[in-house]
């Protein structure tokens, strides 16, 4: 077992309490929005900077499950830069300054460039409702707003040397209390093979539920690959590099035997400490459903892995 790792998920523990606490935070936040305590401190930061977005309906495989309630999707998060409990990001992430924000895009490209968040928001956006599956065996259904990552690649023109894409998240100890502790090797790094990154389902995400991303969900820009475990989806991205070698990811550094580079959702390959055969579609903590290979997106993505041993390349 690695030094830093996800706790072993058990259906009967942790989550109901987390959500309960989150609900209290949420209600506290709603009541105290803008309110100032006698000490002069703001009790809870009001959700700031969230703006409605213009978008069209995107092409994504249709789902039978309804989107998860926004309140749950924005209060039950993994974002270790803001703490390791599910409640921490919603509670702590208001300190992250998401404007101004730029993303440096470089590496093996003909036209490296720095893109401002306003430039990304001005591009044609679409909504995609995706099933999301965390490695901890819970899942949600989230309406994301953004664009296929391939549009970003087209801006910089990757060269023949580009075999992988490396995503680097912000790591700002001043704004992110979790970065002051060595819970992961900062900055958070993730990566995709070039053909995975260019797959039309791979989504550069700027919003959810029709609005810009809340900080706890990775504002102002993150990546979403719906057929992979959630840890592949780096939040608050500041750098995108097209590279020749497979990037060393933060979770591979934390525990390579537990968190592989590919991280495709796969009921046949258990995590060393728990089964991946079933999952809990939140908020149903107890009802368990069968995990689908590639999280149900096999028709779209299975061909990317033809001839690969997915147990060895987990
Ligand atoms: N990105 C950064 N920078 N830091 C993180 O801790 N957690 C990952 C991923 N991206 C994480 C991250 C994990 S484990 C998951 S499950 C998803 O974000 C959760 O995304 P959500 O909170 O929007 O559901």
């Amino acid at each position: 077992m690695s030094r830093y790792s996800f706790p072993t998920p058990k259906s009967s523990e942790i989550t109901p309490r987390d959500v309960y606490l989150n609900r209290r935070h949420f209600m506290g936040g709603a009541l105290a929005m803008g309110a100032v305590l006698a000490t002069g401190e703001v009790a809870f930061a009001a959700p700031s900077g969230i703006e409605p977005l213009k978008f069209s309906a995107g092409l994504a495989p249709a789902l039978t499950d309804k989107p998860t309630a926004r309140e749950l999707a924005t209060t039950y998060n993994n974002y270790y830069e803001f703490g390791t409990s599910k409640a921490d990001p919603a509670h702590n992430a208001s300190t992250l300054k998401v404007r101004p924000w730029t993303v440096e895009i470089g590496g093996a490209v003909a036209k490296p460039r720095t893109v401002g968040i306003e430039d990304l928001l001005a591009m044609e956006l679409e909504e995609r409702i995706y099933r999301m599956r965390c490695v901890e065996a819970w899942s949600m259904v989230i309406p994301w707003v953004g664009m296929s990552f391939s549009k970003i690649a087209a801006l910089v023109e990757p060269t023949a040397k580009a075999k992988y894409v490396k995503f680097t998240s912000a790591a700002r100890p001043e704004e992110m209390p979790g970065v002051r502790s060595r819970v992961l090797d900062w900055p958070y790094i993730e990566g995709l093979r070039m053909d995975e990154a260019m797959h039309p389902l791979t989504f550069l995400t700027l919003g959810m539920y029709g609005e810009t991303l809340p900080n706890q969900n990775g504002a102002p820009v993150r990546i979403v690959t719906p057929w992979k475990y959630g840890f592949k989806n780096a939040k608050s991205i500041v750098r995108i590099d097209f590279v020749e070698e497979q990037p060393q990811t933060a979770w591979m550094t934390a525990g390579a035997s537990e968190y592989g580079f590919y991280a495709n959702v796969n009921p046949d390959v258990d995590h060393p400490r728990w089964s991946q055969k079933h999952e809990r579609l939140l908020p149903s903590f107890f009802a368990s459903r069968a995990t689908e290979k590639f999280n149900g997106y096999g028709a779209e993505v299975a061909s990317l892995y033809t001839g690969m041993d997915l147990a060895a390349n987990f």
Side-chain angles (χ1 to χ4, degrees), residues 219-274:
V221 54
R222 68 178 294 180
I223 197 80
V224 171
T225 44
W227 69 96
K228 293 178 178 284
Y229 292 120
F231 67 86
K232 294 303 287 179
N233 303 326
K235 294 178 167 181
S236 308
I237 293 169
V238 290
R239 278 201 70 89
I240 298 173
D241 291 291
F242 290 80
V243 294
E244 225 174 328
E245 306 289 330
Q246 180 179 295
Q248 173 73 18
T249 71
W251 280 107
M252 287 165 74
T253 303
S257 62
E258 303 200 5
Y259 311 102
F261 180 78
Y262 284 93
N264 292 317
V265 175
N266 192 343
D268 306 328
V269 178
D270 286 339
H271 185 280
R273 290 183 287 128
W274 61 83

Side-chain angles (χ1 to χ4, degrees), residues 6 77-81 134 138 144 169 188 216-217 222 230-231 233-235:
F6 288 108
N77 303 102
N78 278 325
Y79 197 168
Y80 278 22
E81 287 87 334
C134 182
W138 45 266
W144 300 112
S169 296
Y188 195 97
Q216 60 268 34
N217 291 89
R222 68 178 294 180
F231 67 86
N233 303 326
K235 294 178 167 181

